[in-house]
């Protein structure tokens, strides 16, 4: 096929793909399906009939909260709580949209997007929300290896100020990890800012760098289980490092896959202040890109707070989409995701896919 023919085919496919994504919301009214948890549930036989499901667009549009499918239409709803109903084979996507200048676009509708899950349009869309304000589960990973010794005190202060600004103790939780040769968990999950600040202050630089082991461990031991509660959460990791690794047992791909299993977005801040980018910067960018996050490369260490501010803005300016994949199989395989905006002036940042649950 020629390049022109391929481009025309892709544009036509984008229009067609938007229809199955948007149709359930236009065609169905009534009860609203609640948002899913971020962990992928085990496959179960589908019932013979299923109630209609729509997103929570309408009077509560943009608040990231859904109505209980069993709640009578028109019944009062407590907007301060999340009502969760476990759905079969749900996928919960959190993503951001920016223009060519990097500005967030937060007023798009569900019909403005098209989606492929494992090369197929979704079978059903349960909900779509704008500027979701889900509770945050945030891991802060700080490189404490010898290579960042001269910049360490500034990184500590910037990280503490970031947590002070972004964490809402009533709903959010975070943990702190330092890493050199081995991961060093300084705090468990906590919403106490004093506890988290003390954990950051307790980090000490020295030793080699096992970056991949640290990312893998944080996802496996903390973030993978972070969504197994009574409400959906948004999971993210802030990784502060120069990206160099000389001690890990895990490989880069292992770390990325574990982030995808834990459905965790990674925001990486490079501490490399040399005039040119190096291999470590490329590593940080790959981790962020594959998980739907973003990598930052401050020109000076004093610019690090600007990167933290950008992360804070992004975490509070995201869309959430919950859907049922077509032809889903609980086989433990990786299912690629392709989500894009029909207005090609805008770019969508989303994780590249997810792992289906393994059969029992």
């Amino acid at each position: 096929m020629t390049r022109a023919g391929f481009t025309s085919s892709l544009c036509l496919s984008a229009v067609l793909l938007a229809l199955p994504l948007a149709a359930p919301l236009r065609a169905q009214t009534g009860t609203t399906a609640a948002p899913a948890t971020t962990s992928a549930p085990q496959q179960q036989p589908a019932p013979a009939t299923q109630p209609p499901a729509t997103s929570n667009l309408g009077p509560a549009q943009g608040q990231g909260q859904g109505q209980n499918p069993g709640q009578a239409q028109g019944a009062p709803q407590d907007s301060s709580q999340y009502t969760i109903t476990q759905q079969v084979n749900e996928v919960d996507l959190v993503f951001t949209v920016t223009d060519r200048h990097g500005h967030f676009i937060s007023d798009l509708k569900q019909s403005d997007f098209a989606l492929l899950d494992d090369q197929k349009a979704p079978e059903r869309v349960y909900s779509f929300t704008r500027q979701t304000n889900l509770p945050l589960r945030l891991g802060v990973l700080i490189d404490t290896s010898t290579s960042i010794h001269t910049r360490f005190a500034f990184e500590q202060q910037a990280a503490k100020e970031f947590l002070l600004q972004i964490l809402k103790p009533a709903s959010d939780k975070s943990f702190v990890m330092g890493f050199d040769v081995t991961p060093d968990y300084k705090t468990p999950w906590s919403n106490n800012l004093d506890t988290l600040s003390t954990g950051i202050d307790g980090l000490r630089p020295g030793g080699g760098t096992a970056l991949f082991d640290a990312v893998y461990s944080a996802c496996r031991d903390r973030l993978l289980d972070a969504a197994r509660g009574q409400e959906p959460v948004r999971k993210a990791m802030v990784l502060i490092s120069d990206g160099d690794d000389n001690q890990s047992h895990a490989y880069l791909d292992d770390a990325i896959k574990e982030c995808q299993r834990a459905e965790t977005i990674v925001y990486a801040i490079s501490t490399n202040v040399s005039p040119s980018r190096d291999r470590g910067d490329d590593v940080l960018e790959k981790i962020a890109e594959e998980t739907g996050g973003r990598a930052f490369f401050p020109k000076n260490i004093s610019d690090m707070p600007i990167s933290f501010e950008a992360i804070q803005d992004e975490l509070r300016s995201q869309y959430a989409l919950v859907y049922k994949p077509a032809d889903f199989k609980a086989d433990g395989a990786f299912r690629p995701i392709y989500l894009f905006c029909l207005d090609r002036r805008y770019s969508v940042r989303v994780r590249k896919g997810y792992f289906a649950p393994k059969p029992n």
Side-chain angles (χ1 to χ4, degrees), residues 8 13 43 52 59 83-84 90 113 118 146 150 176 292 323 345 347:
S8 300
S13 298
Q43 186 178 24
T83 303
I84 305 306
E90 286 183 352
F113 298 95
D118 201 24
T146 305
T150 58
V176 173
Y323 67 92
R345 296 175 300 170
S347 298

Side-chain angles (χ1 to χ4, degrees), residues 146-278:
T146 305
S147 61
I148 53 87
H149 185 275
T150 58
R151 308 181 293 274
F152 189 65
F154 190 89
E155 293 171 12
Q156 286 178 299
Q157 185 61 34
K160 289 190 294 183
E161 292 177 0
F162 169 68
L163 286 176
L164 181 64
Q165 292 295 323
I166 195 171
L167 211 65
K168 299 178 180 179
S171 59
D172 301 338
K173 291 182 180 180
S174 182
F175 71 87
V176 173
M177 174 206 284
F179 64 92
D180 45 32
V181 177
T182 58
D184 181 14
Y185 290 97
K186 285 300 183 182
T187 71
W189 285 113
S190 177
N191 61 354
N192 188 303
L193 291 170
D194 289 337
T195 298
L196 296 168
S197 294
T198 300
I200 293 174
D201 286 336
L203 296 171
R204 296 291 181 267
T209 310
L211 169 65
F212 306 149
D213 286 353
V215 172
Y216 186 97
S217 174
C219 289
R220 180 194 62 192
D221 300 335
R222 293 291 190 273
L223 289 155
L224 188 62
D225 294 332
R228 296 179 183 177
Q230 298 302 312
E231 60 183 11
V233 296
R234 183 172 64 258
K235 297 187 287 185
M237 177 192 301
V238 175
L239 175 62
I240 305 170
S241 174
D242 58 11
D244 293 332
D245 189 304
N246 53 28
Q247 294 287 336
S248 284
H249 298 287
Y251 293 99
L252 174 59
D253 286 347
D254 298 327
I256 291 174
K257 288 179 180 178
E258 199 64 17
C259 290
Q260 291 169 334
R261 289 190 181 94
E263 300 179 2
T264 296
I265 301 171
V266 178
Y267 296 97
I269 301 178
S270 174
T271 60
N272 172 29
V273 293
S274 63
S276 60
R277 287 182 56 171
D278 60 17

Side-chain angles (χ1 to χ4, degrees), residues 314-328:
E314 180 158 331
L315 286 172
R316 301 303 183 191
S317 303
Q318 294 177 323
Y319 295 85
L321 173 66
V322 183
Y323 67 92
K324 180 180 180 181
D327 299 332
F328 185 85

Side-chain angles (χ1 to χ4, degrees), residues 7 9 58 72 92 95 106 122 148 172 177 184 237 277 299 307:
T7 303
S9 176
D92 187 350
F95 59 96
S106 58
I148 53 87
D172 301 338
M177 174 206 284
D184 181 14
M237 177 192 301
R277 287 182 56 171
K299 294 181 179 179
S307 300

